[in-house]
Amino acid sequence: MTLRALVLRAAGTNTDGETVVACERAGFRTDLLHVNRLVERSDMFGSYQLLVVPGGFSYGDDLGSGRVLANELRLRLGDAIRDFIRAGRLVMGICNGFQALVKAGLLPDPLEGGRQRATLAPNESGHFEDRWVRLNAVSSRCVWVREGTVLETAVTHGEGRFVAPEMELDRLEANGQVVYRYVDPSGAEAGYPWNPNGSIRSIAGICDPTGRVLGLMPHPEKHLDFTHHPQWTRRGEREADGLAFFRSARAALT
Amino acid sequence: MLWRVDVSCRPEYGDAPSASALAAFREYPLPGVEKVATSTVYLLEGDLDAPRVAQEALADPISEMFRVMPASEPPPVPPGARVVTIFKKPGVMDPVEASALKAVADLGMTATAVRIGIRHLIYGGPDDGTLRAVAAKVLANEAVDEVTLGERAFDRIALGAPYRFRRIDVPLRDLDDAGLLSLSRARGLSLNGQEMKAIQDHYRRLDREPTDVELETLAQTWSEHCKHKTLTSDIRFDGSWIRNLLQSTVFRATQELAKPWCVSVFKDNAGIIEFDEHHDVCFKVETHNHPSAIDPYGGSNTGVGGVIRDVLGCGLGAKPVAGTDVFCVGLPDADEAALLPGTIHPRRMLRGVVAGVRDYGNRIGLPTLNGAVFFDERYTGNPLVFCGTVGLLPKGKAFKRTKAGDAVLLVGGRTGHDGIHGATFSSVELHEESEAASAGAVQIGNAIVEKKVIDTVLQARDQDLFDGITDCGAGGLSSAVGEMGAELGAEVDLEKVPVKYEGLSTAEIWISEAQERMVLSVPPECVERILEVFRAEDVEATVIGRFTSTRELVLRYQGHEVGRLDMEFLHRGLPREPRIATWAEPKSPNPRPPEKEDYAEDLKKLLASWNICSKEWIIRQYDHEVQGGSVIKPLHGVDNDGPSDAAVFRPVLSSWRALAVGCGMNPRYGDLDPYQMAANAIDEAFRNVVSVGGDPDRTALLDNFSWGNPEDPETLGALVRAAQACYDVATAYGLPFISGKDSLNNEYRAGGRTVRIPHSLLISALSVVPDARRCVSADLKEPGNYVWMIGQTRMELGGSHYALVNGMSGGKVPAVEPELGRRVIATVANVISLGLARSCHDLSEGGLAVAAAEMAFAGGLGMKMFLEQTPVRQLTGETALLFSESPSRFLIEVRERDFAAFEKATAGVPRGVVGQVTAEGRLSVVGRSRRKLLDVPIAELKAAWQRPLRW
């Protein structure tokens, strides 16, 4: 069965190229579409099984990361995206895409009123950082992530500190909606730089209650080949965690 | 109605802006400041629901809070606090404004104007005057910002007033020599007497006066920045004439090498070489020195934006795929009180230029992979900022074909007052009033506008919708249209140029260097289709004229002719003035360093010196992963924090073919021997790309000369010597130069003193890596492996970092021996391609000891070194053995099982086994005299290396 992925881009999206490659290598027939085209014709969502909102600096992140794109999603595409989720399709928000989904109220609870319940605040370091991190999957709620799996890949952001009111955090944890946490090489939660932005409870990625919408700050599409890993000249050829991540999304649809 | 919305962080979720403002005061240091509370101020003009805009677009509902008020009634200042407000000066571009306008529109409302500022509520601190002055320095930049102590009330923010057209003729036919010069000065034309005279003669022949627009066009086109008139002039040197210095050195090397894989050299905005059977790659490095001196953030920000446009404007449009940025700044520990008037402290300078590169490169999605920083007090008033971009072009898109009848299409940002006289400003020296006098030349970029331009231009390219493209860089439209139409002719209707606000004169429209604009030549039948490509993604594109076959440049405003210039005179009328250059080799004895019992302290001092220490604080602020092609990252090793010799990336993700980018520079050698400085820079750049796996037979170079005032014969003589070395070493090494740029008059004048920068030649290297999977990094890999030294160590401590940290001066600068160097570097490339090198690191600043230390702590492993077999020539003493900076040397880690193969493969060059990797984390070295020279834990070495720039 041919599965199709839609990678949505907007002004300032800049990781669309490698996100398309990731989807294609995982077996999706993939289209890259500008948000203006979807606003013109939101029925286009119907042809796809996976929607990815990729990373970048949509509209410069000028009013806060992902904010302007979030308003576009919320005001112009919100209903279409909710229909997409209800139809059992998958949605991924990566980095800026995660920020936009959260600020559009499409995570963590897209089907519950669309209110923003959490945010991605500026990194504790006060500036953008590029470094590799290790993530532990701490829940199997997301339909394509199995608890206990490890994802090593890059973070590249200035506003990735996941924060929310305590009650909201408790609720997300109780529901298994906290999918990924930042951990140190031993697998334990730790401070900077293992948790690169100061996210509360080391939260790196969350999903919605259906497990079909996942957002995360790190970039799985940055780890598709063994040569992407910063240690590859030391450890040699290994399976690339990011590619496995996309492949399991495809597997979850079949 | 003019609304004001103040947005601030909820403290329970962290308040980075307030914390960093407080940190800036403490770093200065300004005593007494206890607390700072920072908020962003939005001024919104228009009939709108301001509370809703604040709630839904400006403030984050979780982590931020806001208050809305009329802008005429600013909020009260709490007791015990003072307020400093910072707004961009009217007319200075602020990218956030455009996004705010869009955000308001998305909510179904219209704002007619937006202005954004910062409000700092400051508790404690000294008197008002001091507080304001320090805040203006550490929180703002008065070249672009308005800083006010106290609250500000606003009643209007829209800019501009209607422009009433009038044609301005500038009488010059009757002026005497002095009159011509004072006209040049008064109009900021930066033209000399002879050039003004040539213009006068031209207009006397035409029997009319030039218009202001014509004169400005000539000044821009003839500027040093655009024409490189010094480097292409005839120079009297050493008793003979050099005809066109660049032609007879740098270009000549490329011509003689005649590499078939060079596609386009020194013709376009960037040099182009072959990459694979489907792609070419292009490479360009530009300087943005003078704008950065005045506004470090805006200067480096637009430096990146500008060189990205060079690549986008190369051939028929290349996709920017990698960035490299090199800075030369003063010493970060300089005493604030001892700085020359008008200079920015090097610490803030460095923070500013790093932030500028970060914010442009990261936003636009350009991986910033390579770079370097050099520190010398002479760069304090005149820093150097080099910004480079690599671009990827499909085969067959390397050449433009603009023809008569094509439309002149202006794409991207709007034109404003920003950046007027950038080209002419960058062609003169800086002085203490430059900040006030030249603020118009400084700009801030809008990376997202440029990103949109890239996205759409590449689509238009792939649909074959245009014939030619170039960027609006120095000289703005005057240079872009003037160059594209040089062999044709062009006519432009200036009122069609979209402007940011009313009131720009015709001359201002024509020469404004407002950012993010490209000019395309479009066949008439493609105009509608290409406009649709831009419209579909909200990119402004406007036909402003057409190319003709008249060989004339005709400019009109609302039908009135405001300029008519002969292309021949514009492009070939510049009189060439012969120059005088001299050079006398300074003769100074070699430093005689004392022999020491133990060198651990010397090594730590070197590792902690500004030029050698870790640049991780900078590197991690740049996105080096975006576009997904990273192979050898700028930092690597067991803890991902060791130094890399060069970066490697795959521009085409479906292929293992890759590119290595590296650079070489050592201004300290230039004080003693500019010839060897240039030779070493080439050797270093070459070593760097070969160390990681670059193909020595597919390596191309760029030259960037940043020099002082060439009117001084010795300054020019040093440049001649450097250019001669470029020819000699590039031909010997088989490395063609494919593009370059010079920046002259890098001097700072204040308080009766003129400080000339060190002669600074940056060599950048781009090398094809046949198979990314063969790349090697510099970190030690496994205990038990052997470490070989390849290359020859000589008594060369002149200009070295060992001399620098020990306060020694003079001496013999390391000398490149091209025949030996070529063989050594080819041998290293060969052993890497055979898979015999487990790690490889070239020896540069600090010599053998520093290279060994870096390999060890990057790998988290120790090394036992025994230097008896180090190949040496005319070398005495252990100090020189450890720290000499002789070029063309490498340390290579080899597995025991590869030992014999390695030995055989390297038989033709000087080499010896100098150590073995150990599991215990110590670097121990036994010298040629068989005595122990040092034995120190790698953790100490790493700590020393990481401490200085851990900001």
Side-chain angles (χ1 to χ4, degrees):
Chain A
M1 162 183 169
T2 304
L3 291 176
R4 299 185 62 190
L6 163 58
V7 178
L8 180 151
R9 73 185 173 91
T13 301
N14 63 25
T15 65
D16 43 324
E18 56 270 38
T19 305
V20 168
V21 169
C23 293
E24 284 176 345
R25 289 218 197 141
F28 290 97
R29 260 183 63 196
T30 306
D31 292 327
L32 177 64
L33 277 179
H34 194 281
V35 65
N36 286 0
R37 303 291 81 69
L38 286 160
V39 168
E40 286 158 11
R41 284 196 48 195
S42 62
D43 60 319
M44 287 166 90
F45 279 110
S47 339
Y48 300 96
Q49 285 75 41
L50 170 68
L51 165 67
V52 189
V53 188
F57 283 81
S58 55
Y59 304 101
D61 281 359
D62 289 329
L63 305 179
S65 53
R67 192 66 198 274
V68 178
L69 178 60
N71 274 348
E72 267 187 331
L73 297 180
R74 179 170 68 90
L75 298 167
R76 308 215 173 135
L77 296 171
D79 291 341
I81 292 175
R82 274 185 284 272
D83 287 347
F84 188 82
I85 299 165
R86 283 193 196 98
R89 318 286 167 89
L90 307 184
V91 180
M92 265 182 216
I94 301 169
C95 194
N96 195 241
F98 179 33
Q99 293 162 337
L101 292 182
V102 167
K103 294 181 183 190
L106 292 165
L107 266 178
D109 285 286
L111 307 180
E112 299 290 325
R115 186 169 63 84
Q116 180 178 338
R117 294 163 175 273
T119 199
L120 283 309
N123 294 353
E124 253 177 5
S125 65
H127 55 72
F128 186 99
E129 276 198 46
D130 176 327
R131 60 170 68 247
W132 274 59
V133 292
R134 184 181 173 94
L135 308 181
N136 260 6
V138 292
S139 152
S140 292
R141 167 74 68 180
C142 174
V143 298
W144 73 91
V145 177
R146 198 160 36 82
E147 185 177 347
T149 51
V150 169
L151 173 58
E152 290 193 343
T153 195
V155 288
T156 59
H157 61 246
E159 299 182 24
R161 182 165 178 259
F162 186 86
V163 297
E166 288 292 316
M167 276 177 56
E168 179 68 15
L169 294 168
D170 292 344
R171 197 182 64 86
L172 289 174
E173 284 182 345
N175 249 346
Q177 286 177 253
V178 171
V179 178
Y180 283 117
R181 289 192 209 276
Y182 299 106
V183 293
D184 70 11
S186 75
E189 280 183 57
Y192 181 85
W194 314 114
N195 174 347
N197 47 37
S199 285
I200 296 181
R201 304 188 193 182
S202 304
I203 294 173
I206 59 168
C207 68
D208 77 329
T210 72
R212 295 196 299 271
V213 184
L214 172 71
L216 72 173
M217 284 312 297
H219 287 272
E221 83 285 0
K222 298 294 189 287
H223 191 185
L224 304 178
D225 289 311
F226 75 96
T227 54
H228 285 132
H229 195 282
Q231 303 280 323
W232 77 268
T233 59
R234 307 180 67 81
R235 62 180 210 166
E237 193 162 347
R238 302 255 190 107
E239 197 197 0
D241 296 348
L243 185 57
F245 172 91
F246 282 92
R247 282 186 173 148
S248 65
R250 189 184 184 283
L253 283 160
T254 47
Chain B
M1 177 75 185
L2 184 60
W3 290 97
R4 169 170 171 164
V5 179
D6 283 20
V7 178
S8 55
C9 295
R10 285 182 201 274
E12 63 265 37
Y13 292 123
D15 187 350
S18 302
S20 78
L22 181 61
F25 281 124
R26 297 220 162 127
E27 183 185 286
Y28 182 75
L30 184 73
V33 176
E34 291 146 20
K35 188 182 140 192
V36 182
T38 300
S39 46
T40 305
V41 179
Y42 296 88
L43 303 175
L44 306 163
E45 200 163 67
D47 182 18
L48 37 85
D49 177 354
R52 182 170 168 230
V53 172
Q55 176 138 20
E56 295 192 26
L58 302 180
D60 187 282
I62 305 294
S63 62
E64 292 176 332
M65 49 199 181
F66 66 87
R67 57 199 281 180
V68 181
M69 64 213 101
S72 54
E73 295 163 30
V77 178
R82 281 171 290 173
V83 164
V84 171
T85 59
I86 300 165
F87 282 85
K88 295 264 176 287
K89 286 181 174 172
V92 172
M93 217 289 301
D94 184 346
V96 183
E97 292 173 6
S99 297
L101 288 171
K102 176 181 162 48
V104 172
D106 284 345
L107 297 176
M109 294 177 259
T110 308
T112 50
V114 175
R115 211 168 152 205
I116 293 155
I118 304 283
R119 173 187 198 250
H120 298 286
L121 209 52
I122 300 164
Y123 294 85
D127 61 278
D128 285 2
T130 309
L131 180 68
R132 192 209 159 280
V134 174
K137 270 191 185 178
V138 304
L139 302 178
N141 180 344
E142 291 193 90
V144 290
D145 295 322
E146 287 175 351
V147 180
T148 312
L149 185 73
E151 265 301 347
R152 290 183 68 180
F154 292 86
D155 49 20
R156 180 179 177 279
I157 55 171
L159 279 178
Y163 171 64
R164 284 227 313 278
F165 168 74
R166 72 198 164 93
R167 177 183 159 120
I168 298 170
D169 291 316
V170 183
L172 55 62
R173 283 179 299 172
D174 299 328
L175 295 178
D176 59 11
D177 290 358
L180 287 173
L181 270 180
S182 72
L183 176 68
S184 169
R185 256 196 308 274
R187 288 196 156 258
L189 303 176
S190 302
L191 294 170
N192 67 26
Q194 198 192 0
E195 290 155 358
M196 288 300 290
K197 197 96 185 88
I199 293 173
Q200 186 180 49
D201 290 345
H202 180 71
Y203 281 93
R204 280 179 177 164
R205 278 194 300 278
L206 293 179
D207 196 22
R208 68 172 175 93
E209 299 291 359
T211 66
D212 59 340
V213 183
E214 290 172 340
L215 206 49
E216 292 285 2
T217 306
L218 286 162
Q220 300 300 322
T221 309
W222 290 7
S223 67
E224 183 68 60
H225 188 93
C226 294
K227 266 285 183 283
H228 308 282
K229 39 198 180 190
T230 302
L231 266 70
T232 55
S233 63
D234 295 344
I235 297 173
R236 181 87 185 159
F237 180 73
D238 219 6
S240 57
W241 281 99
I242 300 170
R243 301 288 166 205
N244 189 335
L245 178 63
L246 270 189
Q247 180 65 48
S248 62
T249 56
V250 174
F251 297 173
R252 188 172 137 218
T254 306
Q255 282 163 349
E256 290 181 9
L257 289 168
K259 295 287 185 188
W261 41 269
C262 284
V263 176
S264 165
V265 293
F266 291 107
K267 277 190 286 226
D268 208 326
N269 293 324
I272 308 176
I273 62 170
E274 265 177 22
F275 177 63
D276 63 17
E277 56 183 306
H278 305 295
H279 302 90
D280 294 328
V281 285
C282 62
F283 191 20
K284 176 63 173 274
V285 174
E286 271 279 7
T287 48
H288 227 213
N289 303 336
H290 289 187
S292 303
I294 291 175
D295 178 13
Y297 180 86
S300 70
N301 192 262
T302 53
V304 174
V307 78
I308 290 172
R309 288 194 301 281
D310 273 324
V311 158
L312 184 64
C314 176
L316 289 173
K319 177 189 168 202
V321 292
T324 168
D325 297 277
V326 175
F327 309 133
C328 299
V329 297
L331 301 174
D333 49 1
D335 177 5
E336 184 96 34
L339 296 178
L340 285 174
T343 55
I344 295 173
H345 191 278
R347 193 179 264 267
R348 290 196 298 280
M349 174 63 63
L350 186 60
R351 283 191 197 283
V353 294
V354 167
V357 168
R358 174 193 71 204
D359 286 355
Y360 209 100
N362 293 357
R363 273 189 169 76
I364 208 162
L366 183 76
T368 301
L369 300 173
N370 179 256
V373 189
F374 294 91
F375 298 88
D376 186 299
E377 62 178 346
R378 290 166 289 175
Y379 292 120
T380 304
N382 191 135
L384 303 181
V385 171
F386 300 90
C387 303
T389 302
V390 181
L392 182 73
L393 270 167
K395 281 267 181 215
K397 298 281 186 188
F399 299 99
K400 308 176 200 301
R401 42 172 200 248
T402 299
K403 55 186 189 299
D406 282 358
V408 180
L409 184 70
L410 175 59
V411 176
R414 291 190 156 214
T415 301
H417 275 120
D418 32 353
I420 284 173
H421 280 162
T424 48
F425 162 64
S426 68
S427 305
V428 295
E429 87 277 12
L430 292 164
H431 51 84
E432 52 195 304
E433 281 92 36
S434 291
E435 175 187 310
S438 316
V442 177
Q443 310 174 60
I444 292 168
N446 187 338
I448 299 310
V449 170
E450 189 147 306
K451 179 67 164 78
K452 288 174 13 177
V453 170
I454 295 171
D455 291 347
T456 45
V457 161
L458 296 181
Q459 291 172 42
R461 175 197 71 188
D462 294 339
Q463 297 172 40
D464 284 319
L465 294 179
F466 57 87
D467 283 340
I469 178 169
T470 198
D471 62 304
C472 264
L477 285 170
S478 76
S479 296
V481 178
E483 275 166 35
M484 284 178 92
E487 307 303 321
L488 298 166
E491 46 190 48
V492 172
D493 294 301
L494 292 169
E495 79 280 2
K496 293 187 177 157
V497 174
V499 290
K500 294 179 181 171
Y501 31 76
E502 297 287 291
L504 292 178
S505 75
T506 51
E508 287 169 334
I509 291 171
W510 185 236
I511 64 166
S512 162
E513 294 175 12
Q515 299 287 304
E516 287 96 27
R517 300 177 306 161
M518 303 294 293
V519 175
L520 280 66
S521 61
V522 181
E525 66 275 16
C526 298
V527 168
E528 266 319 304
R529 279 164 61 209
I530 201 168
L531 288 177
E532 184 47 41
V533 170
F534 293 118
R535 200 159 32 220
E537 301 193 10
D538 311 315
V539 176
E540 198 155 18
T542 314
V543 174
I544 61 166
R546 65 185 190 97
F547 292 99
T548 64
S549 53
T550 61
R551 311 244 8 199
E552 274 191 325
L553 178 61
V554 179
L555 303 172
R556 289 182 296 256
Y557 189 85
Q558 293 171 344
H560 306 280
E561 187 169 300
V562 294
R564 181 176 287 268
L565 274 162
D566 175 24
M567 287 288 193
E568 181 68 25
F569 178 66
L570 179 60
H571 290 288
R572 290 187 255 279
L574 171 67
R576 297 289 169 156
E577 200 172 355
R579 316 268 171 163
I580 307 293
T582 58
W583 180 254
E585 207 80 6
K587 288 271 179 285
S588 57
N590 251 339
R592 283 266 163 220
E595 292 294 301
K596 296 187 184 170
E597 273 300 301
D598 185 280
Y599 290 94
E601 285 314 307
D602 271 345
L603 177 53
K604 283 189 231 169
K605 215 155 59 169
L606 274 166
L607 289 167
S609 66
W610 290 115
N611 292 340
I612 294 174
C613 72
S614 171
K615 307 299 183 297
E616 181 168 0
W617 171 79
I618 299 172
I619 294 167
R620 292 234 176 270
Q621 294 189 57
Y622 298 156
D623 190 339
H624 45 260
E625 298 284 352
V626 66
Q627 299 196 20
S630 146
V631 176
I632 297 291
K633 303 177 202 294
L635 295 167
H636 70 271
V638 69
D639 294 320
N640 302 334
D641 57 5
S644 296
D645 288 322
V648 179
F649 70 102
R650 290 184 295 149
V652 180
L653 298 184
S654 55
S655 160
W656 286 110
R657 205 168 170 84
L659 289 166
V661 187
C663 59
M665 190 179 196
N666 200 328
R668 288 190 42 76
Y669 297 161
D671 292 337
L672 301 170
D673 186 343
Y675 181 93
Q676 285 303 340
M677 173 187 76
N680 276 279
I682 296 173
D683 193 84
E684 184 182 7
F686 196 22
R687 289 194 314 261
N688 282 340
V689 291
V690 166
S691 295
V692 292
D695 179 351
D697 297 320
R698 283 286 180 124
T699 301
L701 303 180
L702 305 182
D703 63 276
N704 283 86
F705 291 88
S706 280
W707 238 255
N709 179 0
E711 302 285 320
D712 169 35
E714 282 189 21
T715 300
L716 186 57
L719 200 157
V720 170
R721 290 294 289 152
Q724 288 173 335
C726 286
Y727 171 78
D728 293 343
V729 179
T731 46
Y733 281 2
L735 303 173
F737 285 96
I738 57 169
S739 185
K741 192 82 184 195
D742 57 273
S743 163
L744 304 177
N745 298 302
N746 288 293
E747 305 195 340
Y748 190 79
R749 200 175 70 225
R753 258 182 79 197
T754 296
V755 180
R756 174 179 62 69
I757 62 156
H759 311 308
S760 307
L761 172 64
L762 170 67
I763 297 289
S764 307
L766 180 68
S767 189
V768 174
V769 176
D771 186 340
R773 293 167 294 187
R774 287 272 182 204
C775 283
V776 290
S777 56
D779 47 320
L780 292 180
K781 301 298 189 303
E782 294 103 13
N785 291 345
Y786 290 93
V787 177
W788 287 72
M789 163 85 121
I790 302 197
Q792 191 179 60
T793 305
R794 302 177 292 263
M795 196 75 193
E796 295 177 313
L797 283 168
S800 68
H801 277 67
Y802 187 80
L804 174 69
V805 300
N806 285 293
M808 300 185 293
S809 61
K812 184 178 172 303
V813 165
V816 172
E817 298 186 7
E819 193 280 326
L820 174 63
R822 186 186 54 76
R823 281 191 293 125
V824 166
I825 293 171
T827 303
V828 170
N830 186 43
V831 297
I832 290 175
S833 72
L834 292 171
L836 300 176
R838 202 55 192 105
S839 67
C840 176
H841 194 22
D842 80 307
L843 274 57
S844 57
E845 290 97 341
L848 171 60
V850 165
E854 288 174 344
M855 291 177 83
F857 62 64
L861 294 168
M863 188 167 18
K864 276 202 166 85
M865 303 192 80
F866 27 88
L867 301 181
E868 232 180 322
Q869 290 184 39
T870 314
V872 299
R873 203 182 76 212
Q874 292 164 353
L875 178 123
T876 51
E878 308 287 8
T879 308
L881 180 64
L882 288 175
F883 302 111
S884 170
E885 296 182 4
S886 300
S888 316
R889 294 183 303 159
F890 300 81
L891 285 175
I892 297 183
E893 179 189 357
V894 181
R895 288 190 184 97
E896 183 156 23
R897 65 167 197 254
D898 295 324
F899 192 97
F902 185 90
E903 194 170 26
K904 187 156 170 263
T906 55
V909 295
R911 89 286 198 237
V913 180
V914 295
Q916 196 167 17
V917 182
T918 65
E920 54 189 296
R922 299 182 76 85
L923 177 66
S924 70
V925 183
V926 173
R928 291 174 73 218
S929 58
R930 299 196 185 172
R931 81 181 164 89
K932 187 159 253 186
L933 305 181
L934 61 93
D935 182 6
V936 56
I938 56 168
E940 277 180 32
L941 298 173
K942 187 170 177 178
W945 180 71
Q946 290 186 322
R947 200 171 303 119
L949 272 177
R950 188 168 253 172
W951 286 3

